[in-house]
Amino acid sequence: MAYRTRSPHGSKVSMMHHFPRYSRHVYHRVGRWLVFAVVGLILVLGIQGPMQARSLPSLPTVSSLLAQAPPQAIAPIASLDHLERQLAAAIAQGDRVVQAQTLNHLAQAHRQAGNFRQAQDAIAQSLALFPALKQPRLYAQALTIQASLERDRGAYSAAQGYWEQAVRLYNEGGDREGVQGTRLNQISALAAMGNVRRACGLAIAQFEVGDGLTQCDQIAALTDAEFVVLRDRFATQLHHPLAAQLLTRLAATLQYTGRLERSRQLLDLSLSTLDPQQQPQAAAMAHLVLGNIHRSLEQPDEAIAQYKTAAELATPLSASSLWLDAQINHTRLLLTTKQVPAARALAPAILSRLQTEPLNHRTLIARLVFAQHWLDVPNPSPPVDRATLAHLVADGIQAARQRGDRAAEAYGLGILGSAYAQTHQTDTAIQLTRDALALARPLQSPELIYPWEWQLTQLLEIQGDLDGAIAANERAVDTLETLENDLVSSNRDSQFSFRESVEPIYRNLVSLLLTPDTRHTKNQTQANGNNGMISQGNLRRARQVIENLQVAELNDFFRTPCISARTTEIDQIINQGDRSTAVLYPILLDDRLTVILSLPGDNPQGDALLRYNIAGANPATISRTVDQLRRTLAGNLPESRVYGPAQTLYEWLIAPFEADLQAHQIETLTFVLDGPLRRLPMAVLFDGEQYLIEKYNLAITPGLQLVPPRSLQSVELSPLVAGLSEARHGFEAIPAVVDEVKHIRDSFPNSKLLFNESFTTANLLDAIQTNPFPIVHLATHGEFNATPTDTFLLTWDNKINANEFSQVLQSRDLQQNSPPIELLILSACQTALGDDRAALGLAGLAVRSGARSTIASLWSVSDESTGLMMQELYQILLHSPEQDTLKRAEVLRRAQLSLLQSDDFHHPFFWAPFILIGSWL
């Protein structure tokens, strides 16, 4: 077995060895931002990939760039003069109502002209007249303008407070249009903050939808027929003036559930009621969002057509950023599809508009985003050459400073730091990035903070500052976790593309923590066969970060928090209870596979003992090996073709720890699997003579915590059994289900059976909710795919998707305060071949169900062998002589061995796909 060695010498040498991507590429691209406008210019920042190595001329010093005067907006002087005279007259006459009205108009005029300070002074004078002035509608208008000014400087949270006050006043006055207009602003701001779930809920609340629908993920979970009913309900409510715009906002947020077609249908409905001549801004917005949908659907031509339509409708509009939104989205799409000349052709008009558009938060961000897109293009040339772009960013920073817009200033400084990093001016890039963070942190806007913390991490890595890079990476991960409930990545082009924007930050921290560092001398752990040492503390923290990543992946997959039940740490279980169990954590990093082994420690009240090994295999090699083995197994190809890849994986994952496992008398191995390894049953790993299942009980857990374990022997084993033997909904019949469910029913007098016609969705949900069965056994087709809406179990009358099924299982516990399901068995399921996210569907269903343990299969297996194995499993549960000590993992292992040791079903195709997820006890 070959190991990747580490340099034991100075830290700088070991850093360059550990980060070969820097020696190859020199720098990361720290800012390919995915910034597609959704409502207004909704900008949620997300870093997507490495900065390509280039030989570029140095940029001017920062001080010279920022010393130039920023562009000044040209105010409509005549209009302002008229309002000033009107205000003076109202003050002279003592007419406080006219005075407030005029101050509102004056503030709005200054705002549209880009005169932020004057606008703020005017609205402050207006608000000072209230609430003594009993004019609720006028007061609400003033609050709305104040909220818009707060939004214009990026202070979204403050803006929300003013809008909420305005809504209360509009409601008091019965002004429905005022309420709807304010809600539109709130929805836009919430989405801009990255809080898409709240934005969606607020949009839905503006309609009478019924059925308890309050979130977009609930709409996504509807059947097609139910969605048609909902769409028809929306159609009957579009006669209100702003209803179509609200529906556009709803469609914009719905896209992040992955149901792009449903989002498109709602946009079509919205556009069908909008008159482009009478409502050009609303129509432009709908076309803009529709362009984004087509882009996510990988329909670039249709997307471009929509962007062009949006730009045409927005061209004559004043005080609107929609034209810029559409053109910048158009540019980004062209650059993504390598149509650089076409994108360059758009640049002059965009640059001209950026220089003349009134300055507010959205137009400043548009300026910075435009520059960011082009800074990511190798060798940009006029009119978007590097120097021009640097000056454009610097002008934006200066303008933001004058307006007190710290969010835009922080964004600009971060982008400028990225530009200097690309030209190898690393010290300057680090300082600019730190300046950006110093401005962003007090704003308490994590969506603005975490990208610059990640950028700083990478820059410090370049300098070989391991400790500094770890600290910065830790802060980036901590910041990401504050966004956990709002990160959405339902399709490849969502603003938080999880695999490109979030996952690398977690993995990079693990990579840093698992970098052997010879400077430390205390509490070291010598790697088995590796040079260098990693502290026990770093190993523990690396495990924790990987667990947090696993939880974040599950939350991202289901778009809602998955783990809410009370849990117990695995270390506590193996140290204080089951000391014959070890836990393995294979961790895939950029250039290697690191495996951490957790063993029972010497002190039952202390910490687990950690070992680690670094294998000379990168993720691509591992993925190829897994795919080769998975296809061989699922295709029931000759067993001789299993041995090679199965033994390779054994040597990577198990062989380095064999002595430790024997010394600690380990009987059960629990795996916290990563990446493509989730697609493979560990039972099939092969040591040259035996499969792993012949040596150990095996289990899978998605993280370091479990629902508190409990022995099956303390439970009355009465199962709920549901089976489907006949062909339904395009799926073939499963004849052996007849004997499978009959055997279980006959073995357990207190069981309840739903079979064929009685196995309807409604009957299943009712049985689960009204009866606290400790075992739920479903013998039916199931598929685990890349999205929760395409992950389902088949019933007689329908498909019940993962979200619906999980909600039902959780609701039983909430309604009855009943104990969790002890054992959930899915005996005829399969996961999509070669799809890591499909494996998340299976793990996520197991976790979200709240079941202590779940048994399921990774691929479709023989009908006959599955029936026999399930009968054997229940016989073991009922009649094993070791009932008092029998573990769930042991029950499954014995059932699998009954097939392995048979003449007809010896091949791992028959027994290997069944895995135990959760508690092995």
Side-chain angles (χ1 to χ4, degrees), residues 868-886:
L868 291 173
M869 198 191 90
M870 288 300 159
Q871 291 180 34
E872 180 67 19
L873 185 147
Y874 281 102
Q875 286 300 309
I876 296 167
L877 275 176
L878 285 170
H879 304 300
S880 172
E882 303 95 345
Q883 282 293 305
D884 293 338
T885 59
L886 193 63

Side-chain angles (χ1 to χ4, degrees), residues 580-614:
S580 63
T581 294
V583 188
L584 280 153
Y585 310 85
I587 302 171
L588 276 68
L589 303 173
D590 278 356
D591 56 348
R592 67 200 189 279
L593 167 68
T594 296
V595 185
I596 298 176
L597 172 68
S598 180
L599 295 161
D602 295 334
N603 179 5
Q605 303 304 315
D607 293 326
L609 179 64
L610 302 182
R611 298 282 188 259
Y612 79 101
N613 183 72
I614 300 171

Side-chain angles (χ1 to χ4, degrees), residues 139-162:
Y139 189 11
Q141 290 171 351
L143 289 166
T144 299
I145 295 169
Q146 178 66 68
S148 298
L149 287 167
E150 297 293 343
R151 178 189 59 193
D152 286 349
R153 67 184 184 91
Y156 290 108
S157 295
Q160 289 291 346
Y162 288 114

